[in-house]
Amino acid sequence: MNDQPHERREPDGLTRRRLVAGTAAAIGLAMLRRSAFPQTGPAPPPSRPLGGTATVLGARAPQEKLQRIVFGTMHGMSLTPLQDLHGIITPSDLHYERHHAGVPAIDPHEYKLLIHGMVDRPTVFDLEALKRFPAVSRFHFLECSGNGSSGYTDVRPDQSPQVVDGLTSTSEWTGVSLSTLLREVGVHPRATWFLAEGGDAALMARSIPIAKAWDDAMIAYGQNGEALRPEQGYPARLLLPGWEGNTNVKWIRRLEFADRPFMTRDETSKYTDPLPNGTARMFSFVMDAKSIITSPAYPAAVTGHGWWDVTGLAWSGRGRISRVDVSTDGGTRWSPAVLEQPVLPKCHTRFTFPWKWDGAEALLMSRATDETGYVQPTLAELRRVRGLGTNYHFNNMRAWRVRRDGSVLFGLEG
Ligand SMILES: Nc1nc2c(c(=O)[nH]1)N[C@H]1C(S)=C(S)[C@@H](COP(=O)(O)O)O[C@H]1N2
Ligand SMILES: [Mo]
């Protein structure tokens, strides 16, 4: 399925490959030559009255009505408006939320994290203690493994990127590496797993292989330059870069080291993937490579012929995104998109692709490949291996149908 990118000749002599490889200036030139924009009059005059005063806290321009979409209450979630965002960072107040028993109010002065089990020195860390260790800051996406179910089972055309895939966001996370804490408590060489338990009423608990703790796990207390938001686990959460959202236990209160998994409710009755052959995938931690075009996408429309910037996000729990290909004809021909810097491991990556719309019906698709060579599957491929009974890990390609009137609908490939 990994066909070679196409060299596609445009009527004005520019090849798509050259355009993609070229600079923004080349694209700008192509646009100018087409002169798609009205060339009218002078710039608007500057404001005469003096502006508002400086404030202690900033706020969005009132015209920018960015909102999460909320579903449910205590057992609830809210979705990031992917179609309204630029770059790769999700503003903290728009980071998606998923709570199994609401957002607890935890006093940071009362907060404690117990680390015990197969360790030499069982220890209780308060927040101040956690902050005395060397801090690390890294950009990582988080994604609920249930994200994208409405692009797999009940595929309706009137769905925005937020509704289809809004259970993923990216923040810069700051905290202490779990490996640092493991050395501090002297974890036993025979310990192979640890239990991570949350301090909310859900008592969310997951078993995590210890290799992840030595690799890149952290206890995060910072998000985008400030303390975690309450809904992201204030004052501290477990962060397991690239692993399904559920294992990133919020309001973390206890880590217990052992030589076996704990088989908790959250990893036996839930967060397993039933397969067509009657067995189930357990401990399916890693989020596989995925991408979605966020513009143009429903409910926005393509409002005229000529050049458009097709853009979206790609990410992989296994490392860096190595390429994203875009098709405008439903997956018959593919061309490479530009990956915007920075391209970071286990992080949203912004891709862009110049596309000249000639008014014909089009089917826009994106396909992510990560640095391990893993290629995002088609819907048919994913359904073949996972069947229809699964509730998690829907990383199949998404498609947007552009109709002759410029309206865009969520759709299936082919
Ligand atoms: N303690 C606790 N941790 C939790 C949850 C929870 O309900 N309680 N929800 C999990 C799920 S299902 C997801 S997808 C992520 C969501 O993290 P976020 O709300 O910061 O986006 O947190 C996980 N950690
Ligand atoms: Mo989740």
Side-chain angles (χ1 to χ4, degrees):
M1 60 179 285
N2 205 353
D3 18 336
Q4 284 306 104
H6 262 75
E7 189 89 351
R8 198 166 138 195
R9 202 150 280 281
E10 298 295 328
D12 60 3
L14 283 171
T15 64
R16 183 168 297 279
R17 179 91 65 86
R18 242 188 70 204
L19 254 185
V20 167
T23 59
I27 297 165
L29 257 180
M31 284 181 150
L32 263 184
R33 210 179 298 154
R34 290 275 136 190
S35 190
F37 311 107
Q39 321 264 301
T40 57
S47 168
R48 283 195 187 281
L50 298 178
T53 60
T55 53
V56 292
L57 271 186
R60 289 199 177 93
Q63 297 86 346
E64 301 298 319
K65 308 223 182 295
L66 299 179
Q67 281 192 336
R68 296 188 286 219
I69 294 175
V70 178
F71 290 105
T73 51
M74 279 301 134
H75 196 83
M77 62 182 97
S78 72
L79 313 176
T80 294
L82 298 176
Q83 67 281 349
D84 298 328
L85 303 182
H86 311 294
I88 57 174
I89 301 300
T90 310
S92 300
D93 59 359
L94 296 171
H95 193 287
Y96 88 87
E97 305 165 86
R98 180 75 183 92
H99 321 301
H100 291 74
V103 181
I106 296 179
D107 180 345
H109 302 295
E110 300 293 314
Y111 173 78
K112 287 186 175 54
L113 169 64
L114 166 66
I115 304 187
H116 68 146
M118 293 175 70
V119 303
D120 291 337
R121 295 171 291 279
T123 309
V124 174
F125 298 93
D126 61 17
L127 195 57
E128 203 187 338
L130 291 177
K131 289 182 178 171
R132 282 178 61 182
F133 291 99
V136 292
S137 293
R138 291 196 229 103
F139 296 86
H140 289 299
F141 79 86
L142 204 62
E143 183 180 19
C144 179
S145 50
N147 198 29
S149 60
S150 58
Y152 188 80
T153 30
D154 172 29
V155 185
R156 292 192 338 265
D158 57 340
Q159 300 188 89
S160 65
Q162 180 171 22
V163 169
V164 176
D165 271 328
L167 289 173
T168 185
S169 309
T170 281
S171 288
E172 185 197 36
W173 304 98
T174 299
V176 49
S177 289
L178 200 45
S179 58
T180 304
L181 297 179
L182 259 53
R183 288 189 194 93
E184 183 67 23
V185 298
V187 70
H188 292 179
R190 284 188 5 265
T192 48
W193 291 77
F194 69 93
L195 178 83
E197 187 184 74
D200 52 332
L203 267 190
M204 174 71 58
R206 293 291 306 258
S207 306
I208 309 296
I210 203 165
K212 188 65 173 170
W214 289 116
D215 181 13
D216 59 358
M218 64 197 255
I219 301 294
Y221 47 75
Q223 180 184 6
N224 295 331
E226 58 179 336
L228 290 184
R229 295 269 162 155
E231 54 272 37
Q232 262 71 62
Y234 181 81
R237 82 180 302 164
L238 179 64
L239 195 83
L240 300 181
W243 284 23
E244 67 179 356
N246 187 261
T247 62
N248 293 254
V249 178
K250 300 189 277 192
W251 313 292
I252 187 82
R253 67 183 286 270
R254 191 166 73 89
L255 304 179
E256 181 179 348
F257 286 82
D259 55 6
R260 60 188 159 74
F262 290 75
M263 311 309 277
T264 69
R265 171 199 61 190
D266 301 303
E267 59 205 13
T268 49
S269 77
K270 296 193 279 180
Y271 298 99
T272 61
D273 309 331
L275 296 175
N277 67 7
T279 64
R281 275 172 96 216
M282 281 192 76
F283 302 122
S284 47
F285 295 120
V286 180
M287 299 304 289
D288 286 317
K290 180 170 170 180
S291 67
I292 180 171
I293 290 168
T294 55
S295 176
Y298 178 88
V302 182
T303 52
H305 297 180
W307 288 103
W308 288 90
D309 193 29
V310 175
T311 183
L313 295 169
W315 60 97
S316 166
R318 295 179 198 277
R320 284 188 176 77
I321 288 294
S322 57
R323 65 183 290 158
V324 174
D325 294 284
V326 169
S327 172
T328 60
D329 61 6
T332 307
R333 291 179 299 180
W334 294 92
S335 309
V338 171
L339 302 186
E340 255 188 26
Q341 294 298 326
V343 177
L344 300 170
K346 307 175 187 179
C347 187
H348 282 166
T349 295
R350 170 71 53 179
F351 65 88
T352 66
F353 179 82
W355 172 53
K356 191 153 70 182
W357 189 47
D358 59 8
E361 182 146 309
L363 197 56
L364 306 179
M365 292 175 69
S366 61
R367 181 180 68 193
T369 305
D370 70 21
E371 61 183 341
T372 70
Y374 177 96
V375 181
Q376 186 180 4
T378 63
L379 179 69
E381 285 167 339
L382 195 64
R383 281 183 174 164
R384 202 176 314 126
V385 291
R386 299 278 169 74
L388 286 173
T390 186
N391 276 324
Y392 308 104
H393 302 287
F394 306 106
N395 70 319
N396 54 287
M397 294 179 210
R398 282 85 177 81
W400 298 101
R401 185 173 297 282
V402 180
R403 298 193 296 181
R404 293 187 158 279
D405 64 1
S407 60
V408 183
L409 296 174
F410 184 65
L412 298 178
E413 77 244 27

